[in-house]
Amino acid sequence: MKRGKKYIESAKMVDRMNLYAPTEAIELCKKVAKAKFDETVEAHIKLGVDSRHADQQVRGAVVLPHGTGRTIRVLVIAKGDKATEAEQAGADYVGAEDMIQKIQSENWFEFDVVVATPDMMGIVGRLGRVLGPKGLMPNPRSGTVTAEVGRAIADIKAGKIEYRLDRQNIIHCPIGKTSFETEKLQDNFVTLMDAVIKAKPSVAKGQYLRSVVIAPTMGPGIKINPQRVTESAVQ
């Protein structure tokens, strides 16, 4: 892959053979971010599990203490009092069959998260084929299928993120922006890692954290020592 000049310059600052301590890696990540925009700091966590087996799935949600730095657009599928609650809680879009129709007929996806009340999942299920591949399908495990729509919206707006394994057994999650103070990125990173470690399947054997890498959107990956991650999360 051909890399740009800024990427090559940033890559020279990273020792690819070294496993950095979390704080050291975060400080370096901020330094290697050379883009003209405020880059997202992303965590990529490879686990020693097999996502093909249902009992080895790792999935959940966690509220980052300092948010992600992004403005999240929330669509709520609800009726009656729950729709009113969603509007009062600050949902960007609220509706029922009308929103389902809008997505189906207009290919409309001007939202980042979908929250649905349990009674609406019958109609939301029609969108499984379009929402599923985009990671937008509401799910009880991530707290996006709930009767407590007001609380769900508040958590999402505050920085709630969902983590889940991909086919390569890797979790990809944002932990903030490069403009964040190091301490805030550290807090977010530890919060995410603590959740992932606690979500370890009981059947998982051997080394659970195979590799942990952070990187700015347009920059090189920085490897973190998995042992130091475990120590930070436990503390």
Side-chain angles (χ1 to χ4, degrees), residues 33-166:
K34 303 293 186 181
K36 294 182 179 180
F37 61 92
D38 191 6
E39 297 178 62
T40 296
V41 179
E42 304 163 353
H44 308 280
I45 310 157
K46 185 173 180 60
L47 301 180
V49 296
D50 189 341
S51 61
R52 293 175 298 178
H53 300 290
D55 60 355
Q56 295 188 48
Q57 286 292 326
V58 178
R59 180 176 184 176
V62 63
V63 178
L64 300 180
H66 304 291
T68 63
R70 292 182 56 205
T71 298
I72 305 298
R73 301 165 298 177
V74 181
L75 165 63
V76 176
I77 306 298
K79 287 183 175 181
D81 292 343
K82 292 302 177 182
T84 302
E85 180 183 342
E87 292 171 350
Q88 294 175 344
D92 298 274
Y93 308 101
V94 182
E97 287 86 352
D98 57 328
M99 288 297 178
I100 303 297
Q101 180 61 31
K102 184 177 180 68
I103 294 170
Q104 289 178 320
S105 62
E106 301 177 22
N107 198 33
W108 176 73
F109 291 101
E110 299 299 318
F111 49 87
D112 303 297
V113 179
V114 183
V115 175
T117 52
D119 60 301
M120 299 301 293
M121 285 307 293
I123 64 170
V124 175
R126 304 174 194 168
L127 300 175
R129 291 185 178 180
V130 292
L131 294 183
K134 295 179 179 292
L136 294 171
M137 192 66 183
N139 186 292
R141 293 180 63 182
S142 63
T144 48
V145 177
T146 177
E148 298 182 14
V149 292
R151 180 177 178 179
I153 294 166
D155 285 347
I156 292 167
K157 293 287 187 178
K160 184 176 183 178
I161 59 169
E162 182 178 357
Y163 59 87
R164 61 186 298 179
L165 287 174
D166 66 10

Side-chain angles (χ1 to χ4, degrees), residues 178-218:
T178 52
S179 61
F180 281 22
E181 296 175 359
T182 299
E183 292 76 13
K184 291 184 177 181
L185 286 171
Q186 172 79 357
D187 287 346
N188 283 353
F189 176 74
V190 170
T191 299
L192 170 63
M193 295 307 305
D194 185 54
V196 171
I197 290 170
K198 288 180 178 177
K200 179 181 178 179
S202 59
V203 297
K205 305 298 181 184
Q207 184 178 357
Y208 180 55
L209 296 179
R210 293 292 177 84
S211 69
V212 181
V213 176
I214 63 170
T217 305
M218 305 298 291

